[in-house]
Amino acid sequence: MARKNYSEEFRRQAVDLYESTPGATVRGIAEDLGIVRGTLRHWLEVYGTGKKTAADGTLTSSPLQAKTSAASSSAPTDETPEQRIARLEAENAALRAETTKLTTEREILQRAAKYFGRGDALVSRFQFVADNSATFEVKRLCELVEIERSSYYAWLNAAPAREARAADDAALAERIRAVHAEDNTQGAPRITAELNAQLGDSAAAGERVNHKRVARVMRLEGIRGYVKKRRVRTTIPEPSGQKYPDLLKRDFTAERPNRRYVGDITYLPLADGTNLYLATVIDCYSRRLAGWAIADHMRTELVEDALKAAAATRGSLKGVVFHSDHGSVYCSKAYAKLCRKLGVTQSMGAVGSSADNALAESFNATMKREVLQDAACWSEELTCRRQVFRWLVRYNTKRRHSWCRYTSPVAFETGYTATLRPAA
């Protein structure tokens, strides 16, 4: 079910994403986009500008472009292959050392913040007694800090087990932090699924982690998925135009991929007061975003481009149902003509009822929440296009979805395909 053919716009956006993302690697961007590294390298050779955004935000020469150029500006023109290899190895070692230094400094600062920022009143009293028991009588110390001696000795005897649990929690916290750094919108359920997926199917039951433990460690470490602080209703019903019956009746499920789709348009606010607009086509079986389009207008071409993109992804949309609201573009004659051409049957919910297209509404809300987070808008159009493009592709290939049993939509569809293969 993976997409084989990519439009030129998709290729250019992929190249732009690599060149504009600070510290991005070909491997990382290729994994986000669900493509092989060689494909992305080829696109960079064809569409690349030769510039790359470094980790500190500055523009540098792309290492891929430098590799294909006749000679690097910093390299001697008469160096031998052995000298070139030695120089590149030295540069690589220096970069590794700098990365290790920065990682170590960050870990030290994080540990220092936890040490001075956390505390438990009862544990602090136990620790006070332990630290001063060689100088003062334990009975008197317990009386002064108002704790039972039996409780203190139970706490003291449990120290080895407590230290072991603390060490296990610290190791788990590091694993959680690594997963969270990849996508800071993830909460305990999705992080739990990712941690257990990293162990593989052969992992023993004792090695797998429980979501309650992950939630507890995240709470203690101050790690949390992003939660939107405010909600804005943006649905504007359009009562005019061609009407179509509701074929879904709020049943946003399908027995297999490429049978039922929902779609909608949402606005992407910019700092200058203008908007971009995103049109979507979402598969009800896997929640996969089969097609989308972004433009600075809400004309019929926007939703037509999204449906055409879905047709290119799937190969054919013949016999599928597409459900939307009563927006004027979905009611237009031009859109109805395209649907007939592609073999798509239109479906529409009631006027003014967002619940009749809840799946598409939920997708739009999730995208804005996780990309914008606390920001009210995007700073400018190019940044908006880049960030939304990356999230949309990662949504399909990387982001774990609760509906898909905490796998990505593409992986969920791959699992469906595997069940159809005959046994060897």
Side-chain angles (χ1 to χ4, degrees):
M1 305 298 291
R3 180 171 179 171
K4 300 294 185 180
N5 299 317
Y6 299 90
S7 66
E8 181 176 352
E9 181 183 4
F10 185 95
R11 299 177 187 183
R12 292 185 181 276
Q13 287 179 314
V15 170
D16 178 72
L17 182 62
Y18 168 77
E19 294 183 341
S20 64
T21 303
T25 63
V26 172
R27 178 178 182 177
I29 297 298
E31 288 180 353
D32 284 350
L33 300 179
I35 60 178
V36 297
R37 279 176 278 175
T39 299
L40 180 57
R41 290 180 185 276
H42 174 67
W43 293 351
L44 288 168
E45 293 176 1
V46 176
Y47 302 107
T49 64
K51 296 295 182 181
K52 176 73 179 67
T53 303
D56 59 1
T58 60
L59 285 177
T60 61
S61 297
S62 171
L64 291 170
Q65 296 294 331
K67 187 180 295 184
T68 58
S69 61
S72 173
S73 59
S74 60
T77 57
D78 57 345
E79 67 178 353
T80 64
E82 292 77 12
Q83 291 173 328
R84 176 180 174 81
I85 292 173
R87 175 175 58 79
L88 293 176
E89 288 179 343
E91 293 175 355
N92 188 34
L95 290 173
R96 287 179 179 273
E98 180 67 18
T99 301
T100 301
K101 177 183 176 183
L102 293 174
T103 302
T104 303
E105 289 177 351
R106 182 179 64 180
E107 183 177 355
I108 291 172
L109 291 173
Q110 289 172 338
R111 290 181 179 274
K114 290 188 297 181
Y115 181 84
F116 292 108
R118 288 172 49 193
D120 183 286
L122 183 59
V123 171
S124 297
R125 281 183 281 175
F126 286 148
Q127 190 64 55
F128 169 80
V129 175
D131 292 343
N132 292 274
S133 60
T135 306
F136 303 98
E137 184 183 15
V138 170
K139 178 181 178 180
R140 180 59 177 163
L141 290 171
C142 290
E143 289 176 350
L144 290 173
V145 296
E146 298 181 348
I147 60 174
E148 297 291 335
R149 275 185 294 168
S150 59
S151 298
Y152 165 71
Y153 285 120
W155 175 84
L156 199 62
N157 293 334
R162 190 166 55 250
E163 291 175 358
R165 286 196 301 271
D168 290 342
D169 284 350
L172 178 59
E174 292 301 316
R175 294 174 59 200
I176 291 173
R177 193 172 288 109
V179 174
H180 188 261
E182 290 292 324
D183 181 359
N184 69 348
T185 66
Q186 298 184 96
R190 286 164 58 194
I191 289 181
T192 302
E194 179 65 28
L195 292 174
N196 288 328
Q198 291 175 358
L199 295 176
D201 297 333
S202 60
E207 297 177 345
R208 300 178 70 82
V209 292
N210 181 276
H211 73 278
K212 293 182 179 179
R213 183 186 175 201
V214 172
R216 175 179 60 80
V217 173
M218 289 179 64
R219 183 170 58 254
L220 292 175
E221 298 293 327
I223 305 171
R224 62 193 298 268
Y226 177 75
V227 179
K228 190 172 179 62
K229 298 179 180 179
R230 56 183 178 176
R231 181 179 179 183
V232 179
R233 185 173 183 269
T234 59
T235 301
I236 302 174
E238 171 55 61
S240 63
Q242 178 66 47
K243 303 296 190 299
Y244 296 92
D246 186 350
L247 303 179
L248 267 58
K249 303 295 183 182
R250 301 187 182 181
D251 178 13
F252 304 112
T253 63
E255 296 181 354
R256 58 189 176 92
N258 201 28
R259 299 310 305 159
R260 284 180 163 189
Y261 291 90
V262 298
D264 194 14
I265 300 176
T266 188
Y267 75 97
L268 310 174
L270 304 179
D272 61 3
T274 61
N275 298 313
L276 293 178
Y277 299 92
L278 168 68
T280 54
V281 180
I282 305 167
D283 195 310
C284 289
Y285 172 78
S286 62
R287 279 27 179 188
R288 179 178 181 177
L289 185 63
W292 77 84
I294 299 176
D296 59 359
H297 60 80
M298 289 182 61
R299 296 191 295 272
T300 306
E301 302 96 277
L302 175 64
V303 292
E304 287 180 330
D305 289 343
L307 193 63
K308 291 176 182 177
T313 299
R314 294 306 195 186
S316 173
L317 295 179
K318 186 176 181 179
V320 310
V321 173
F322 176 76
H323 183 81
S324 67
D325 59 21
H326 282 262
S328 59
V329 289
Y330 292 117
C331 297
S332 67
K333 293 181 179 179
Y335 194 72
K337 180 180 179 180
L338 176 63
C339 288
R340 288 194 298 271
K341 178 181 177 182
L342 297 176
V344 174
T345 301
Q346 286 187 260
S347 167
M348 290 183 178
V351 175
S353 175
S354 60
D356 286 353
N357 201 19
L359 175 54
E361 297 277 356
S362 175
F363 175 90
N364 293 337
T366 299
M367 184 276 295
K368 288 185 179 180
R369 180 179 70 249
E370 296 191 356
V371 180
L372 275 179
Q373 300 194 8
D374 288 332
C377 59
W378 282 272
S379 58
E380 42 89 25
E381 178 178 340
L382 184 58
T383 298
C384 176
R385 288 182 179 273
R386 285 172 173 171
Q387 292 182 355
V388 172
F389 171 75
R390 181 173 191 179
W391 189 92
L392 295 178
V393 178
R394 281 180 61 90
Y395 169 86
N396 277 338
T397 62
K398 302 280 286 186
R399 184 184 183 278
R400 295 183 181 275
H401 201 302
S402 58
W403 174 265
C404 302
R405 295 190 285 273
Y406 288 102
T407 63
S408 71
V410 169
F412 190 69
E413 288 189 358
T414 302
Y416 171 84
T417 304
T419 63
L420 299 180
R421 296 171 184 163

